[in-house]
mmCIF file of all heavy atoms in Angstrom:
data_model
loop_
_atom_site.group_PDB
_atom_site.id
_atom_site.type_symbol
_atom_site.label_atom_id
_atom_site.label_comp_id
_atom_site.label_asym_id
_atom_site.label_seq_id
_atom_site.Cartn_x
_atom_site.Cartn_y
_atom_site.Cartn_z
ATOM 1 N N ILE A 249 82.309 77.088 -43.550
ATOM 2 C CA ILE A 249 81.740 78.283 -42.987
ATOM 3 C C ILE A 249 81.486 79.364 -44.080
ATOM 4 O O ILE A 249 80.688 80.287 -43.882
ATOM 5 C CB ILE A 249 82.574 78.901 -41.859
ATOM 6 C CG1 ILE A 249 81.720 79.762 -40.943
ATOM 7 C CG2 ILE A 249 83.764 79.736 -42.455
ATOM 8 C CD1 ILE A 249 82.390 80.203 -39.734
ATOM 9 N N GLY A 250 82.110 79.182 -45.266
ATOM 10 C CA GLY A 250 81.922 80.163 -46.334
ATOM 11 C C GLY A 250 80.456 80.321 -46.760
ATOM 12 O O GLY A 250 80.042 81.401 -47.176
ATOM 13 N N ALA A 251 79.694 79.236 -46.564
ATOM 14 C CA ALA A 251 78.256 79.345 -46.922
ATOM 15 C C ALA A 251 77.459 80.235 -46.058
ATOM 16 O O ALA A 251 76.359 80.640 -46.348
ATOM 17 C CB ALA A 251 77.640 77.937 -46.967
ATOM 18 N N TYR A 252 78.033 80.594 -44.864
ATOM 19 C CA TYR A 252 77.324 81.349 -43.887
ATOM 20 C C TYR A 252 77.836 82.768 -43.707
ATOM 21 O O TYR A 252 77.229 83.575 -42.976
ATOM 22 C CB TYR A 252 77.365 80.677 -42.500
ATOM 23 C CG TYR A 252 76.884 79.241 -42.504
ATOM 24 C CD1 TYR A 252 77.744 78.180 -42.593
ATOM 25 C CD2 TYR A 252 75.482 79.031 -42.393
ATOM 26 C CE1 TYR A 252 77.246 76.845 -42.652
ATOM 27 C CE2 TYR A 252 75.024 77.722 -42.433
ATOM 28 C CZ TYR A 252 75.879 76.681 -42.538
ATOM 29 O OH TYR A 252 75.398 75.357 -42.581
ATOM 30 N N THR A 253 78.904 83.145 -44.435
ATOM 31 C CA THR A 253 79.480 84.448 -44.236
ATOM 32 C C THR A 253 78.556 85.556 -44.733
ATOM 33 O O THR A 253 78.724 86.739 -44.346
ATOM 34 C CB THR A 253 80.813 84.535 -44.974
ATOM 35 O OG1 THR A 253 80.668 84.150 -46.319
ATOM 36 C CG2 THR A 253 81.855 83.633 -44.292
ATOM 37 N N ALA A 254 77.588 85.199 -45.597
ATOM 38 C CA ALA A 254 76.639 86.247 -46.046
ATOM 39 C C ALA A 254 75.770 86.751 -44.866
ATOM 40 O O ALA A 254 75.110 87.780 -45.000
ATOM 41 C CB ALA A 254 75.738 85.666 -47.104
ATOM 42 N N LEU A 255 75.772 86.040 -43.762
ATOM 43 C CA LEU A 255 74.981 86.450 -42.576
ATOM 44 C C LEU A 255 75.699 87.505 -41.769
ATOM 45 O O LEU A 255 75.150 87.947 -40.750
ATOM 46 C CB LEU A 255 74.658 85.237 -41.756
ATOM 47 C CG LEU A 255 73.803 84.174 -42.380
ATOM 48 C CD1 LEU A 255 73.657 82.972 -41.442
ATOM 49 C CD2 LEU A 255 72.418 84.720 -42.722
ATOM 50 N N LEU A 256 76.902 87.874 -42.160
ATOM 51 C CA LEU A 256 77.668 88.899 -41.397
ATOM 52 C C LEU A 256 76.865 90.144 -41.097
ATOM 53 O O LEU A 256 76.766 90.576 -39.950
ATOM 54 C CB LEU A 256 78.983 89.264 -42.128
ATOM 55 C CG LEU A 256 79.811 90.341 -41.473
ATOM 56 C CD1 LEU A 256 80.371 89.906 -40.175
ATOM 57 C CD2 LEU A 256 80.841 90.923 -42.386
ATOM 58 N N PRO A 257 76.209 90.738 -42.091
ATOM 59 C CA PRO A 257 75.478 91.995 -41.801
ATOM 60 C C PRO A 257 74.340 91.709 -40.840
ATOM 61 O O PRO A 257 73.987 92.624 -40.053
ATOM 62 C CB PRO A 257 74.909 92.421 -43.182
ATOM 63 C CG PRO A 257 75.800 91.797 -44.172
ATOM 64 C CD PRO A 257 76.222 90.489 -43.546
ATOM 65 N N VAL A 258 73.730 90.563 -40.904
ATOM 66 C CA VAL A 258 72.631 90.229 -39.991
ATOM 67 C C VAL A 258 73.142 90.214 -38.504
ATOM 68 O O VAL A 258 72.596 90.713 -37.591
ATOM 69 C CB VAL A 258 71.984 88.894 -40.336
ATOM 70 C CG1 VAL A 258 70.840 88.561 -39.354
ATOM 71 C CG2 VAL A 258 71.504 88.936 -41.739
ATOM 72 N N VAL A 259 74.343 89.516 -38.361
ATOM 73 C CA VAL A 259 74.908 89.437 -36.999
ATOM 74 C C VAL A 259 75.212 90.852 -36.473
ATOM 75 O O VAL A 259 74.980 91.161 -35.306
ATOM 76 C CB VAL A 259 76.186 88.558 -37.033
ATOM 77 C CG1 VAL A 259 76.927 88.625 -35.708
ATOM 78 C CG2 VAL A 259 75.820 87.107 -37.428
ATOM 79 N N VAL A 260 75.815 91.688 -37.311
ATOM 80 C CA VAL A 260 76.178 93.022 -36.897
ATOM 81 C C VAL A 260 74.949 93.860 -36.589
ATOM 82 O O VAL A 260 74.859 94.609 -35.608
ATOM 83 C CB VAL A 260 77.099 93.711 -37.960
ATOM 84 C CG1 VAL A 260 77.400 95.160 -37.564
ATOM 85 C CG2 VAL A 260 78.357 92.941 -38.147
ATOM 86 N N ARG A 261 73.968 93.747 -37.489
ATOM 87 C CA ARG A 261 72.707 94.444 -37.270
ATOM 88 C C ARG A 261 72.040 94.126 -35.924
ATOM 89 O O ARG A 261 71.627 94.998 -35.134
ATOM 90 C CB ARG A 261 71.721 94.131 -38.345
ATOM 91 C CG ARG A 261 71.738 94.998 -39.594
ATOM 92 C CD ARG A 261 70.837 94.550 -40.642
ATOM 93 N NE ARG A 261 69.599 93.852 -40.139
ATOM 94 C CZ ARG A 261 69.063 92.734 -40.692
ATOM 95 N NH1 ARG A 261 69.669 92.201 -41.774
ATOM 96 N NH2 ARG A 261 68.028 92.155 -40.210
ATOM 97 N N LEU A 262 72.006 92.836 -35.617
ATOM 98 C CA LEU A 262 71.381 92.350 -34.377
ATOM 99 C C LEU A 262 72.186 92.856 -33.188
ATOM 100 O O LEU A 262 71.633 93.317 -32.173
ATOM 101 C CB LEU A 262 71.259 90.828 -34.359
ATOM 102 C CG LEU A 262 70.271 90.263 -35.363
ATOM 103 C CD1 LEU A 262 70.318 88.722 -35.320
ATOM 104 C CD2 LEU A 262 68.825 90.737 -35.038
#
Side-chain angles (χ1 to χ4, degrees):
I249 203 171
Y252 302 98
T253 53
L255 296 176
L256 174 71
V258 181
V259 174
V260 176
R261 272 175 28 220
L262 291 175

